[in-house]
Amino acid sequence: MINVTDYLENIYKSQDLPNARKRREVLVNEMAKLESNAKDCASCTGLCCTFIANSMHTDPIQTLEIYRDLVEKGLFNEDLVSSLKETVQNNRLDNELSTGKNSTFRRTYTCTFLTKGPEGCGLSRSVKPYGCLGFNPDQIEAQGEGQCSSNIDLLKQREHQFESLEEQVNGLIKEKLALTWNKLPMPVALLEIHEAVKN
Ligand code: SF4
Ligand code: SF4
C-alpha cells in the first residue's frame, strides 16, 4: 500500500514540481476575479458538469492530487467508490470509442462530484482539474446558457509553465503505479489510481 501523501510530497521535492495549489494558482485567481465581478456559478445548476457538456479527462498527476485530497479528508470511502463505478457504468466510460484516426471519441458524463445547491463542485479548487478551473461564465448571471467558455489563453499559459515537468512526473507515476494510460475520464482514472496504490 502506497502512502499517497508521502509519495506526492517526495515527487514535488525530488522533481522540483510546484504543488497542486501553486500549479493551479493562475486559474483559481482568475476565477476569484470573475466572481468579484458577479460572474459566478451561484445561480446555475452546473450544466457544464453534466452529460450535456462534460467529458473531463485527467492525467496521472491531476488524478493523484484529487485522490490524495479526498483520502486526507476521509472522503474516498465505499460510498464514493460505488458512485464512481455507477458513473462509469451508466456512461460506459470504460469503453471509449476509437475514431480510427489515432484519437478517441470522448463520452460525456454527469460528474460524480457535482452537488446540488450553491456549492456546485464537491472538489477543492486546489486540486480541481485544470480544465474545470478554466471554464467560467463570461457574463453576469450567465447560468450556463452558452455564456460560459474556457479561458484558452490562461490554460495555455499554465500549461506552458509546467508542461515539461508535469510530463516528466506523469512518466514517473505511470512507472511506479504500472499505469498504461496518459489520460482517462476522471471517474475511471480515480478508480484506477485507487486500485494501483493498494498494490
Ligand atoms: S470536478 Fe467539479 S467542476 Fe469539474 S466536472 Fe466535476 S463537478 Fe464539475
Ligand atoms: S461555468 Fe457556466 S455552465 Fe458551468 S456551472 Fe458555471 S455558470 Fe453553470
Side-chain angles (χ1 to χ4, degrees), residues 86-116:
E86 204 177 298
T87 305
V88 172
Q89 199 175 4
N90 289 347
N91 299 281
R92 297 193 289 153
L93 297 180
D94 49 354
N95 181 23
E96 292 211 286
L97 298 173
S98 168
T99 62
K101 296 171 196 160
N102 278 341
S103 61
T104 50
F105 169 77
R106 286 187 169 199
R107 293 188 191 278
T108 59
Y109 62 95
T110 297
C111 185
T112 319
F113 299 104
L114 176 62
T115 57
K116 290 192 170 68

Side-chain angles (χ1 to χ4, degrees), residues 44-195:
C44 182
T45 55
L47 196 71
C48 62
C49 306
T50 71
F51 70 94
I52 293 170
N54 173 50
S55 61
M56 186 54 61
H57 281 47
T58 48
D59 59 4
I61 182 66
Q62 287 178 90
T63 314
L64 205 55
E65 287 171 335
I66 295 168
Y67 183 74
R68 169 195 177 168
D69 193 56
L70 293 168
V71 168
E72 287 180 352
K73 290 173 176 163
L75 297 174
F76 208 101
N77 51 30
E78 281 312 308
D79 284 349
L80 180 57
V81 169
S82 299
S83 300
L84 289 167
K85 285 183 177 169
E86 204 177 298
T87 305
V88 172
Q89 199 175 4
N90 289 347
N91 299 281
R92 297 193 289 153
L93 297 180
D94 49 354
N95 181 23
E96 292 211 286
L97 298 173
S98 168
T99 62
K101 296 171 196 160
N102 278 341
S103 61
T104 50
F105 169 77
R106 286 187 169 199
R107 293 188 191 278
T108 59
Y109 62 95
T110 297
C111 185
T112 319
F113 299 104
L114 176 62
T115 57
K116 290 192 170 68
E119 288 304 313
C121 177
L123 292 184
S124 158
R125 287 183 186 182
S126 62
V127 296
K128 219 189 271 214
Y130 316 134
C132 296
L133 291 168
F135 191 85
N136 289 293
D138 297 325
Q139 296 176 31
I140 295 170
E141 292 182 359
Q143 298 198 28
E145 294 177 3
Q147 297 174 48
C148 306
S149 62
S150 286
N151 189 330
I152 303 291
D153 287 347
L154 211 56
L155 284 163
K156 278 192 179 154
Q157 184 186 319
R158 194 217 71 82
E159 191 176 307
H160 183 69
Q161 199 178 354
F162 301 113
E163 191 175 28
S164 61
L165 268 178
E166 286 175 348
E167 211 174 287
Q168 187 179 314
V169 162
N170 274 326
L172 291 174
I173 298 171
K174 281 176 71 177
E175 196 178 336
K176 172 86 174 168
L177 300 182
L179 305 176
T180 56
W181 45 273
N182 294 322
K183 271 192 175 185
L184 281 175
M186 182 170 44
V188 183
L190 278 167
L191 289 169
E192 288 256 337
I193 291 280
H194 182 51
E195 280 308 309

